[in-house]
Structures are given as C-alpha cells and as structure tokens.
Amino acid sequence: MTSREDTSLRAVLFDVDGTLADTERDGHRPAFNAAFVESGLDWEWGVELYGELLAVTGGKERIRHYIEKHVPGELDRPGLNDWIAALHKAKTRHYVAMLARGDIPLRPGVARLIRELREAGIRIAIATTTTPENVTSLLESTLGPDSPGWFDVIGAGDIVAGKKPEPDIYHWVLERLALPARQCIALEDSENGIRSALAAGLDTVITVNAYTRFQDFTGAAAVLSHLGEPQQPCTGLAGSFPKGGWVDAAFLATLKA
Ligand code: XBP
Ligand code: MG
C-alpha cells in the first residue's frame, strides 16, 4: 500500500462534552443556572429545555439563542455581546469549580482506552466546542495533573469561526496533527458532533447519552451505548460492534482496515 492510500490508524480525536464525560445535564446546565442567579436573572434552564438548547453548540451562542427564542426583550440590552461574554465567563467559573470538586467522572471505558492508545503509540487529540479551561480542568480532575500533556493537540472553543456541526475544529486539529483524516477516527456523542467529524472526512464512532440517544447518526462507523469495559460491556445500536463489548485500539484499527 502506498502512503497516499495508507489508512492505518494514527490518531484518535476525542470530543469532550457527552463523550469523555456526561457533562451537560449535571455540569454545564447547573453552571449556566448559577451564573443566571448570580447576575440577578430569573432564567432557569430545566433538564428538558436544556436538551432543546443543546441544538446550538457553544455556551455564548446558546445563551444568545435562548434570548432570541425565550426572552427577546433582552436583545435591546446595550453591549449585548459583551454582556453575554461576561455571563458566560461566570458560567465557566462555576463549571470549573464543579470539576475541581471532582463532581463529574469520565464515562465507562474512557480512561482505559486513552491508556491503551498511548501504549499502542496511537496519538490522541481533543476537538470540542467547549471553552479551553473546561477541557484542562476535566482532564486534570479525572486523569491527573499531567494528562493534558498526553494530547498532541487540544482544539477548543473560539479558535475557529464555525462551531460544530461545522467541520472547522476537526480541520484545525488535523492540520496541527499533520495527519490526513483517513488515518484518524473521531469519537463523538451527538448529531452536531458527527456532522462536524464526517464533514472533515473522519470515520466516527458514537457513544450515545440520554440527550443524544435518538439523534440521527447516519454515517457512523459504530453507534454504542458507551465505550465499554471488560466488566461493563457496551450495547451496540448500529454499525460495527467490538468483540467482547468494549472499544480498544484493535477495534478502532479494524474500522480503518
Ligand atoms: C459541547 C458544547 C459546549 C458545552 C458548553 O459540544 O456545545 O458549548 O455545552 O461549553 P461538543 P461552553 O460536545 O460537540 O463539543 O459553555 O464552554 O461553550
Ligand atoms: Mg459532544
């Protein structure tokens, strides 16, 4: 096989929210609500409403979408963009504090797979719409203080113009890895995520969560309940299924073969 056709697995690109950890319902959502209370707002994002708001990726973008849809009078606020940015900054402070308390664990199989990929010499990277400090805080609180350094590239937040489902963040990460999409796999949890990854040419494995279970994952290489562990096998929902019930480096490599 010539190098132009080489599709061997060289890197795995992880989404963060919903993929590494179930962060949305009991992490980001209460952090937004705490920021609203702190700012004297009577907004409260319940579990169901938040599920609808997740259609828009990015916290600042989500706040603006909420204002447009639910409290349009606020659109007349002077300096709206700066006000949203300040509100979001408060939200990030609350969220990072939750992570530092160890409130949010990794999903099944995540720590194991990261360890196995590193042992196998397969590079790892992050591609997410969330704020960069949220990523480092989650990694440090769950995998230890050195763990952000395990990732060759961390692509997060506002560094690209178009957030998921645009492919920008995946293009940005692939460029810095200096790898073609055909030698990489994306791990995602949402429809916006898979649209972004597929548009960047990446084979994508989905692990669903309560918010994303019934979304459209057309084009996924595999749709699974979670990454699985030897003691906690995953369930297959579509596409390939890992022998034994857990995703490892060998399974991901077979998806590239
Ligand atoms: C995650 C997001 C993020 C988080 C909130 O999407 O959309 O905006 O919900 O984080 P994905 P911020 O998992 O596809 O990356 O408030 O820091 O934006
Ligand atoms: Mg996600």
Side-chain angles (χ1 to χ4, degrees):
M1 201 181 266
T2 70
S3 62
R4 221 166 62 80
E5 295 161 334
D6 185 1
T7 58
S8 57
L9 181 63
R10 303 283 301 282
V12 175
L13 282 56
F14 290 85
D15 169 51
V16 174
D17 294 304
T19 300
L20 291 186
D22 228 331
T23 50
E24 295 290 8
R25 196 190 74 170
D26 300 324
H28 290 293
R29 187 184 65 85
F32 279 110
N33 285 330
F36 301 155
V37 169
E38 195 178 281
S39 301
L41 297 163
D42 64 357
W43 309 349
E44 192 181 347
W45 290 1
V47 171
E48 201 176 320
L49 169 64
Y50 193 68
E52 291 164 25
L53 297 175
L54 281 173
V56 175
T57 58
K60 292 187 287 293
E61 293 83 351
R62 192 168 298 145
I63 292 170
R64 177 176 275 280
H65 169 75
Y66 173 78
I67 293 172
E68 286 167 357
K69 232 180 136 188
H70 296 272
V71 283
E74 295 281 355
L75 288 170
D76 298 330
R77 229 179 227 280
L80 182 64
N81 281 346
D82 289 347
W83 182 78
I84 290 175
L87 187 58
H88 185 252
K89 207 168 170 193
K91 176 260 167 178
T92 299
R93 176 166 41 76
H94 286 289
Y95 181 68
V96 165
M98 292 171 74
L99 292 171
R101 287 198 301 269
D103 287 359
I104 304 179
L106 295 178
R107 295 191 66 190
V110 169
R112 174 191 51 76
L113 179 61
I114 287 173
R115 190 183 64 244
E116 289 173 3
L117 291 170
R118 295 182 71 224
E119 284 168 6
I122 295 168
R123 300 164 71 193
I124 53 175
I126 297 277
T128 176
T129 69
T130 204
T131 304
E133 58 206 280
N134 296 349
V135 181
T136 37
S137 297
L138 177 68
L139 295 175
E140 286 170 3
S141 69
T142 53
L143 294 168
D146 298 337
S147 58
W150 301 347
F151 293 81
D152 280 3
V153 180
I154 296 183
D158 298 329
I159 49 167
V160 290
K163 293 190 175 171
K164 298 174 189 176
E166 302 302 323
D168 304 24
I169 193 68
Y170 280 108
H171 285 312
W172 191 92
V173 171
L174 286 169
E175 200 175 300
R176 272 146 194 86
L177 285 170
L179 286 174
R182 66 176 180 276
Q183 293 183 327
C184 302
I185 281 186
L187 297 189
E188 274 285 356
D189 72 301
S190 71
E191 187 171 343
N192 279 327
I194 190 173
R195 291 296 141 245
S196 173
L198 290 179
L202 288 153
D203 290 326
T204 306
V205 171
I206 296 290
T207 53
V208 298
N209 57 61
Y211 274 135
T212 67
R213 192 175 308 273
F214 300 112
Q215 293 181 346
D216 180 1
F217 296 118
T218 304
V223 183
L224 307 168
S225 55
H226 50 74
L227 291 174
E229 292 282 26
Q231 304 305 323
Q232 189 185 356
C234 60
T235 306
L237 305 172
S240 301
F241 184 73
K243 208 166 43 178
W246 64 93
V247 170
D248 56 13
F251 171 70
L252 294 178
T254 65
L255 300 178
K256 305 300 300 177

